[in-house]
Amino acid sequence: MIRITATLSIPDDALSERFIRASGPGGQNVNKVSTAVELRCDLKRADLPLDMMQRLQLLAGRQLTLDNVLVITADTHRSQERNRAEALGRLTALLKRAAVRPKKRIATRPTKASKQRRLDAKARTSRVKSLRRVRPAFD
């Protein structure tokens, strides 16, 4: 079980990982050892709340497949364990961001002082521009 919040966790059977060959540095092992990790999280099995799923779809973007499988690839490190830990960390961070409900905005009216400041600024700008327009008289 991977704990996301105090009340939300993902079962291990919703996760699957596959080791693939990584590009980049690795010395002689780069063509022999599969160190990159492709972590897949089946969101149907994860049993997440509907509102969290909607936020997760927006946050995940291209990492989410049409079958609602979240795919995270980590290949920055040279060892499988560090790449596995990084992929798992990215998954939990993404799910924690999706778990946070956005605050509802409460509509407020502008104060009388803020309206007056806006009108004063408009008048000042208008005055400056009108002074630029006045052409000197040629006598």
Side-chain angles (χ1 to χ4, degrees):
M1 297 284 271
I2 297 173
R3 186 165 292 309
I4 307 303
T5 62
T7 58
L8 187 66
S9 59
I10 293 184
D12 289 332
D13 65 334
L15 299 176
S16 66
E17 60 186 24
R18 189 176 75 156
F19 294 102
I20 54 178
R21 297 247 170 97
S23 62
Q28 295 174 344
N29 283 336
V30 75
N31 295 324
K32 295 187 287 184
V33 181
S34 299
T35 56
V37 177
E38 183 182 83
L39 182 66
R40 294 175 161 266
C41 178
D42 190 0
L43 299 178
K44 293 175 193 168
R45 290 183 181 174
D47 196 32
L48 300 174
L50 183 63
D51 60 334
M52 183 178 167
M53 278 289 292
Q54 291 171 344
R55 287 190 298 271
L56 186 60
Q57 287 173 347
L58 290 174
L59 289 172
R62 294 177 58 202
Q63 292 177 325
L64 193 64
T65 65
L66 293 175
D67 299 329
N68 278 343
V69 176
L70 188 63
V71 180
I72 295 178
T73 307
D75 62 353
T76 55
H77 303 288
R78 291 187 183 190
S79 70
Q80 284 183 351
E81 283 303 315
R82 289 177 72 184
N83 282 330
R84 177 188 285 155
E86 182 184 340
L88 206 56
R90 279 199 256 161
L91 174 69
T92 55
L94 185 65
L95 291 172
K96 282 181 183 179
R97 279 183 53 203
V100 175
R101 286 194 172 99
K103 289 184 180 178
K104 288 195 174 189
R105 183 187 182 281
I106 300 171
T108 58
R109 294 175 60 179
T111 63
K112 189 173 182 179
S114 68
K115 287 181 186 177
Q116 190 60 45
R117 282 192 301 268
R118 183 179 63 84
L119 293 175
D120 290 344
K122 284 179 71 162
R124 196 175 320 114
T125 305
S126 174
R127 207 173 317 113
V128 167
K129 289 188 174 190
S130 67
L131 289 174
R132 289 182 195 150
R133 270 185 293 199
V134 175
R135 300 284 179 217
F138 292 106
D139 291 331

